[in-house]
PDB file of all heavy atoms in Angstrom:
ATOM      1  N   GLY A 410     -14.165  11.205  41.978  1.00  0.00           N
ATOM      2  CA  GLY A 410     -14.064  12.117  40.853  1.00  0.00           C
ATOM      3  C   GLY A 410     -14.557  13.527  41.149  1.00  0.00           C
ATOM      4  O   GLY A 410     -14.488  14.392  40.284  1.00  0.00           O
ATOM      5  N   LEU A 411     -15.071  13.752  42.345  1.00  0.00           N
ATOM      6  CA  LEU A 411     -15.588  15.065  42.728  1.00  0.00           C
ATOM      7  C   LEU A 411     -14.868  15.548  43.983  1.00  0.00           C
ATOM      8  O   LEU A 411     -14.147  14.796  44.618  1.00  0.00           O
ATOM      9  CB  LEU A 411     -17.095  14.983  43.011  1.00  0.00           C
ATOM     10  CG  LEU A 411     -17.974  14.461  41.877  1.00  0.00           C
ATOM     11  CD1 LEU A 411     -19.393  14.229  42.375  1.00  0.00           C
ATOM     12  CD2 LEU A 411     -17.968  15.430  40.710  1.00  0.00           C
ATOM     13  N   SER A 412     -15.130  16.776  44.369  1.00  0.00           N
ATOM     14  CA  SER A 412     -14.550  17.277  45.620  1.00  0.00           C
ATOM     15  C   SER A 412     -15.449  16.861  46.779  1.00  0.00           C
ATOM     16  O   SER A 412     -16.667  16.750  46.628  1.00  0.00           O
ATOM     17  CB  SER A 412     -14.406  18.796  45.580  1.00  0.00           C
ATOM     18  OG  SER A 412     -15.682  19.406  45.604  1.00  0.00           O
ATOM     19  N   TRP A 413     -14.843  16.664  47.936  1.00  0.00           N
ATOM     20  CA  TRP A 413     -15.608  16.243  49.111  1.00  0.00           C
ATOM     21  C   TRP A 413     -16.586  17.330  49.546  1.00  0.00           C
ATOM     22  O   TRP A 413     -17.669  17.032  50.053  1.00  0.00           O
ATOM     23  CB  TRP A 413     -14.659  15.847  50.239  1.00  0.00           C
ATOM     24  CG  TRP A 413     -15.397  15.294  51.413  1.00  0.00           C
ATOM     25  CD1 TRP A 413     -15.458  15.826  52.660  1.00  0.00           C
ATOM     26  CD2 TRP A 413     -16.196  14.100  51.458  1.00  0.00           C
ATOM     27  NE1 TRP A 413     -16.254  15.045  53.471  1.00  0.00           N
ATOM     28  CE2 TRP A 413     -16.714  13.982  52.749  1.00  0.00           C
ATOM     29  CE3 TRP A 413     -16.534  13.127  50.513  1.00  0.00           C
ATOM     30  CZ2 TRP A 413     -17.556  12.938  53.149  1.00  0.00           C
ATOM     31  CZ3 TRP A 413     -17.370  12.086  50.899  1.00  0.00           C
ATOM     32  CH2 TRP A 413     -17.864  11.997  52.202  1.00  0.00           C
ATOM     33  N   ILE A 414     -16.252  18.594  49.318  1.00  0.00           N
ATOM     34  CA  ILE A 414     -17.156  19.679  49.713  1.00  0.00           C
ATOM     35  C   ILE A 414     -18.486  19.559  48.966  1.00  0.00           C
ATOM     36  O   ILE A 414     -19.547  19.867  49.517  1.00  0.00           O
ATOM     37  CB  ILE A 414     -16.506  21.073  49.538  1.00  0.00           C
ATOM     38  CG1 ILE A 414     -17.303  22.151  50.294  1.00  0.00           C
ATOM     39  CG2 ILE A 414     -16.358  21.441  48.079  1.00  0.00           C
ATOM     40  CD1 ILE A 414     -17.183  22.104  51.776  1.00  0.00           C
ATOM     41  N   THR A 415     -18.445  19.091  47.729  1.00  0.00           N
ATOM     42  CA  THR A 415     -19.680  18.881  46.966  1.00  0.00           C
ATOM     43  C   THR A 415     -20.579  17.884  47.680  1.00  0.00           C
ATOM     44  O   THR A 415     -21.789  18.099  47.817  1.00  0.00           O
ATOM     45  CB  THR A 415     -19.351  18.376  45.540  1.00  0.00           C
ATOM     46  OG1 THR A 415     -18.562  19.375  44.880  1.00  0.00           O
ATOM     47  CG2 THR A 415     -20.601  18.082  44.742  1.00  0.00           C
ATOM     48  N   ILE A 416     -19.991  16.803  48.168  1.00  0.00           N
ATOM     49  CA  ILE A 416     -20.762  15.771  48.868  1.00  0.00           C
ATOM     50  C   ILE A 416     -21.271  16.310  50.195  1.00  0.00           C
ATOM     51  O   ILE A 416     -22.438  16.075  50.562  1.00  0.00           O
ATOM     52  CB  ILE A 416     -19.911  14.499  49.064  1.00  0.00           C
ATOM     53  CG1 ILE A 416     -19.417  13.965  47.707  1.00  0.00           C
ATOM     54  CG2 ILE A 416     -20.680  13.438  49.830  1.00  0.00           C
ATOM     55  CD1 ILE A 416     -20.499  13.713  46.672  1.00  0.00           C
ATOM     56  N   LEU A 417     -20.446  17.027  50.931  1.00  0.00           N
ATOM     57  CA  LEU A 417     -20.892  17.582  52.207  1.00  0.00           C
ATOM     58  C   LEU A 417     -22.072  18.538  52.016  1.00  0.00           C
ATOM     59  O   LEU A 417     -23.025  18.522  52.798  1.00  0.00           O
ATOM     60  CB  LEU A 417     -19.747  18.314  52.911  1.00  0.00           C
ATOM     61  CG  LEU A 417     -18.656  17.446  53.528  1.00  0.00           C
ATOM     62  CD1 LEU A 417     -17.557  18.324  54.118  1.00  0.00           C
ATOM     63  CD2 LEU A 417     -19.218  16.508  54.585  1.00  0.00           C
ATOM     64  N   ARG A 418     -22.019  19.346  50.978  1.00  0.00           N
ATOM     65  CA  ARG A 418     -23.118  20.283  50.711  1.00  0.00           C
ATOM     66  C   ARG A 418     -24.411  19.554  50.365  1.00  0.00           C
ATOM     67  O   ARG A 418     -25.497  20.012  50.695  1.00  0.00           O
ATOM     68  CB  ARG A 418     -22.735  21.240  49.585  1.00  0.00           C
ATOM     69  CG  ARG A 418     -21.725  22.272  49.986  1.00  0.00           C
ATOM     70  CD  ARG A 418     -21.370  23.190  48.835  1.00  0.00           C
ATOM     71  NE  ARG A 418     -20.373  24.153  49.251  1.00  0.00           N
ATOM     72  CZ  ARG A 418     -19.342  24.520  48.500  1.00  0.00           C
ATOM     73  NH1 ARG A 418     -19.161  24.012  47.291  1.00  0.00           N
ATOM     74  NH2 ARG A 418     -18.477  25.403  48.960  1.00  0.00           N
ATOM     75  N   LYS A 419     -24.288  18.425  49.689  1.00  0.00           N
ATOM     76  CA  LYS A 419     -25.454  17.673  49.249  1.00  0.00           C
ATOM     77  C   LYS A 419     -25.888  16.588  50.251  1.00  0.00           C
ATOM     78  O   LYS A 419     -26.882  15.897  50.030  1.00  0.00           O
ATOM     79  CB  LYS A 419     -25.169  17.025  47.884  1.00  0.00           C
ATOM     80  CG  LYS A 419     -25.035  18.032  46.750  1.00  0.00           C
ATOM     81  CD  LYS A 419     -24.695  17.353  45.440  1.00  0.00           C
ATOM     82  CE  LYS A 419     -24.678  18.331  44.290  1.00  0.00           C
ATOM     83  NZ  LYS A 419     -26.008  18.659  43.799  1.00  0.00           N
ATOM     84  N   ARG A 420     -25.172  16.450  51.338  1.00  0.00           N
ATOM     85  CA  ARG A 420     -25.439  15.360  52.276  1.00  0.00           C
ATOM     86  C   ARG A 420     -26.880  15.327  52.792  1.00  0.00           C
ATOM     87  O   ARG A 420     -27.481  14.249  52.825  1.00  0.00           O
ATOM     88  CB  ARG A 420     -24.444  15.434  53.430  1.00  0.00           C
ATOM     89  CG  ARG A 420     -24.415  14.217  54.306  1.00  0.00           C
ATOM     90  CD  ARG A 420     -23.317  14.383  55.333  1.00  0.00           C
ATOM     91  NE  ARG A 420     -23.092  13.193  56.101  1.00  0.00           N
ATOM     92  CZ  ARG A 420     -22.273  13.135  57.129  1.00  0.00           C
ATOM     93  NH1 ARG A 420     -21.592  14.206  57.489  1.00  0.00           N
ATOM     94  NH2 ARG A 420     -22.115  12.022  57.792  1.00  0.00           N
ATOM     95  N   PRO A 421     -27.464  16.442  53.192  1.00  0.00           N
ATOM     96  CA  PRO A 421     -28.864  16.369  53.636  1.00  0.00           C
ATOM     97  C   PRO A 421     -29.799  15.844  52.538  1.00  0.00           C
ATOM     98  O   PRO A 421     -30.707  15.055  52.816  1.00  0.00           O
ATOM     99  CB  PRO A 421     -29.196  17.814  54.017  1.00  0.00           C
ATOM    100  CG  PRO A 421     -27.872  18.439  54.343  1.00  0.00           C
ATOM    101  CD  PRO A 421     -26.901  17.789  53.384  1.00  0.00           C
ATOM    102  N   ALA A 422     -29.570  16.272  51.308  1.00  0.00           N
ATOM    103  CA  ALA A 422     -30.399  15.794  50.196  1.00  0.00           C
ATOM    104  C   ALA A 422     -30.165  14.308  49.935  1.00  0.00           C
ATOM    105  O   ALA A 422     -31.114  13.567  49.635  1.00  0.00           O
ATOM    106  CB  ALA A 422     -30.119  16.614  48.934  1.00  0.00           C
ATOM    107  N   PHE A 423     -28.908  13.867  50.047  1.00  0.00           N
ATOM    108  CA  PHE A 423     -28.618  12.436  49.909  1.00  0.00           C
ATOM    109  C   PHE A 423     -29.379  11.632  50.957  1.00  0.00           C
ATOM    110  O   PHE A 423     -29.970  10.596  50.658  1.00  0.00           O
ATOM    111  CB  PHE A 423     -27.120  12.155  50.076  1.00  0.00           C
ATOM    112  CG  PHE A 423     -26.314  12.229  48.816  1.00  0.00           C
ATOM    113  CD1 PHE A 423     -25.347  13.215  48.658  1.00  0.00           C
ATOM    114  CD2 PHE A 423     -26.480  11.305  47.801  1.00  0.00           C
ATOM    115  CE1 PHE A 423     -24.570  13.270  47.507  1.00  0.00           C
ATOM    116  CE2 PHE A 423     -25.719  11.356  46.654  1.00  0.00           C
ATOM    117  CZ  PHE A 423     -24.765  12.345  46.499  1.00  0.00           C
ATOM    118  N   ARG A 424     -29.346  12.103  52.199  1.00  0.00           N
ATOM    119  CA  ARG A 424     -30.028  11.381  53.280  1.00  0.00           C
ATOM    120  C   ARG A 424     -31.519  11.277  53.011  1.00  0.00           C
ATOM    121  O   ARG A 424     -32.127  10.238  53.242  1.00  0.00           O
ATOM    122  CB  ARG A 424     -29.760  12.062  54.620  1.00  0.00           C
ATOM    123  CG  ARG A 424     -28.366  11.799  55.136  1.00  0.00           C
ATOM    124  CD  ARG A 424     -28.101  12.520  56.428  1.00  0.00           C
ATOM    125  NE  ARG A 424     -26.863  12.050  57.038  1.00  0.00           N
ATOM    126  CZ  ARG A 424     -26.203  12.722  57.953  1.00  0.00           C
ATOM    127  NH1 ARG A 424     -26.656  13.891  58.388  1.00  0.00           N
ATOM    128  NH2 ARG A 424     -25.095  12.223  58.464  1.00  0.00           N
ATOM    129  N   ALA A 425     -32.118  12.358  52.531  1.00  0.00           N
ATOM    130  CA  ALA A 425     -33.549  12.329  52.223  1.00  0.00           C
ATOM    131  C   ALA A 425     -33.834  11.400  51.043  1.00  0.00           C
ATOM    132  O   ALA A 425     -34.756  10.582  51.090  1.00  0.00           O
ATOM    133  CB  ALA A 425     -34.045  13.748  51.926  1.00  0.00           C
TER     134      ALA A 425
END
Side-chain angles (χ1 to χ4, degrees):
L411 303 171
S412 69
W413 185 244
I414 195 72
T415 299
I416 302 306
L417 287 177
R418 287 180 181 139
K419 292 178 175 281
R420 192 176 188 186
F423 271 114
R424 285 178 169 161

